Amino acid sequence: MKFTITAYAGEFGCAPQSFYTVLSGQAPRIDLTELAPYTQFKPAKQVAFTQSVLADNRIDRWQILINTALENSNLIESSKHAPLLMVLPFVDAKFSEMQAHLIESVADILPAWTTNPNSQYYLLGSAGFYQALRQADVLLSDGMELVVIGAVDSWATEQGLLKFVSQFSDYSSVVLPASEGAVFVVLSRQAQGLEVLSCGMDVVIDRHTPSGLIALIADSVAKQTAPMQYLSLCHSGDESLDQVGHNTLSAISGLFDANTQFFTPQIIQGDIGACYSLLHFLVSYHHYKQHIWQGSSLQIDTSSLPYVGTATYRWFD
């Protein structure tokens, strides 16, 4: 699978109104912020939001983020006939009414994209990106000129902050800031871009033995002639949450060596939920295009349990 990014736009809590700093990896480490609206959530004082007011609900916040991300770009106008493959937070299929409501909230404010008959939604958290990327490849291979992949997520509601805190074993272990983001990339086929050597997702039932993820990565590594030059991992700082990544790395020989560079983007970005994998795809593209990276890179996404995913990238021209 080969992709060229022709345009992009985004907005993130860790660098409001300054998407390029996130893209370049130059955004400063997030400082802990105490804001008046969050005083009832003492352990959740680690926040990085684009506006310092809690939203009434997720839908309102998503729409604010999407509009802010797109307001200074011509992304919609330049790709208005393209389908949108939208990555959204995980919602179990048994909550079909909620799923429909979340999809409608995006469709309402992005009609130029969402009315396209090929537009799809992936309510699987960040790991849904890997399904979206495969579908983008299918659409481009079928002759479509442009495909848009988008993602949005936010913890900036009372319910969201409570859910964020509940992920951790105890309040004192909340070490990763709750954050938010919206990102959109326009993909095409051109003579230069990012080649996706492998791409897949799976469900983790047992954090100690994430067999599906291990198999996906082991298959990718087997096709490589050398260890990965760059390896990106999800990292919350809480051992119980990071267990899947740790156990996966220890189970695969030949994945990395002393020259491999490790990255933990969440330490800078905060927990951006469903946006994580798409943003890393865009950051990887930028690093290769700017000749910051050379060789192969592996992205492991365990940020949206129970769904996990992985992709291997390299540059082509």
Side-chain angles (χ1 to χ4, degrees):
M1 298 186 287
K2 295 182 177 181
F3 302 98
T4 302
I5 295 178
T6 60
Y8 59 84
E11 171 73 2
F12 284 90
C14 62
Q17 306 296 322
S18 186
F19 185 56
Y20 180 79
T21 62
V22 179
L23 189 62
S24 65
Q26 297 172 349
R29 188 179 295 268
I30 295 174
D31 293 323
L32 306 190
T33 307
E34 290 197 55
L35 301 171
Y38 309 106
T39 53
Q40 68 269 44
F41 304 104
K42 261 308 188 193
K45 66 183 179 182
Q46 302 174 75
V47 296
F49 297 145
T50 62
Q51 295 90 27
S52 59
V53 178
L54 285 172
D56 290 334
N57 58 68
R58 302 172 85 184
I59 304 303
D60 290 346
R61 195 63 171 205
W62 288 0
Q63 293 183 336
I64 290 171
L65 279 167
I66 291 171
N67 288 327
T68 302
L70 295 172
E71 64 184 355
N72 294 318
S73 78
N74 69 339
L75 230 62
I76 294 179
E77 181 61 30
S78 63
S79 58
K80 60 185 177 182
H81 300 301
L84 172 65
L85 308 178
M86 194 72 190
V87 181
L88 296 170
F90 169 62
V91 177
D92 194 292
K94 64 184 178 182
F95 299 108
S96 57
E97 185 176 344
M98 182 185 298
Q99 284 187 335
H101 189 41
L102 299 185
I103 290 171
E104 288 169 4
S105 72
V106 176
D108 287 347
I109 62 172
L110 297 174
W113 287 332
T114 56
T115 54
N116 189 296
N118 290 301
S119 291
Q120 293 187 32
Y121 303 87
Y122 304 88
L123 287 86
L124 301 170
S126 181
F129 164 73
Y130 302 100
Q131 286 193 341
L133 196 60
R134 286 185 172 278
Q135 180 61 16
D137 182 61
V138 170
L139 294 173
L140 291 171
S141 297
D142 286 346
M144 195 157 291
E145 293 185 7
L146 300 173
V147 176
V148 181
I149 299 183
V152 64
D153 205 352
S154 176
W155 293 103
T157 65
E158 183 171 324
Q159 183 181 20
L161 285 176
L162 286 170
K163 182 180 178 182
F164 175 80
V165 172
S166 70
Q167 292 181 110
F168 298 86
S169 55
D170 60 80
Y171 283 177
S172 63
S173 70
V174 182
V175 295
L176 185 70
S179 193
E180 63 186 357
V183 60
F184 297 88
V185 299
V186 182
L187 301 176
S188 69
R189 291 268 203 255
Q190 294 183 23
Q192 184 185 74
L194 202 61
E195 182 176 7
V196 182
L197 301 173
S198 64
C199 174
M201 64 169 288
D202 195 38
V203 178
V204 167
I205 306 300
D206 184 349
R207 296 184 184 187
H208 295 279
T209 56
S211 55
L213 182 62
I214 291 172
L216 285 169
I217 297 173
D219 181 64
S220 175
V221 171
K223 298 174 183 176
Q224 302 293 313
T225 58
M228 296 293 169
Q229 283 92 332
Y230 311 96
L231 210 164
S232 177
L233 297 167
C234 292
H235 179 73
S236 70
D238 184 285
E239 186 175 352
S240 65
L241 290 180
D242 298 331
Q243 206 167 50
V244 172
H246 294 161
N247 294 331
T248 300
L249 291 181
S250 63
I252 303 172
S253 60
L255 174 57
F256 58 91
D257 61 14
N259 296 315
T260 301
Q261 295 184 42
F262 287 80
F263 298 91
T264 52
Q266 286 173 305
I267 300 301
I268 290 177
Q269 299 163 0
D271 189 341
I272 54 175
C275 298
Y276 178 84
S277 288
L278 177 55
L279 178 61
H280 186 71
F281 174 80
L282 181 55
V283 170
S284 299
Y285 188 95
H286 178 272
H287 278 55
Y288 279 113
K289 188 174 183 178
Q290 299 299 319
H291 305 293
I292 300 170
W293 287 3
Q294 295 181 3
S296 57
S297 63
L298 177 68
Q299 171 182 350
I300 301 176
D301 181 0
T302 58
S303 68
S304 52
L305 296 175
Y307 293 100
V308 294
T310 180
T312 307
Y313 306 128
R314 72 180 176 193
W315 190 251
F316 74 89
D317 52 22

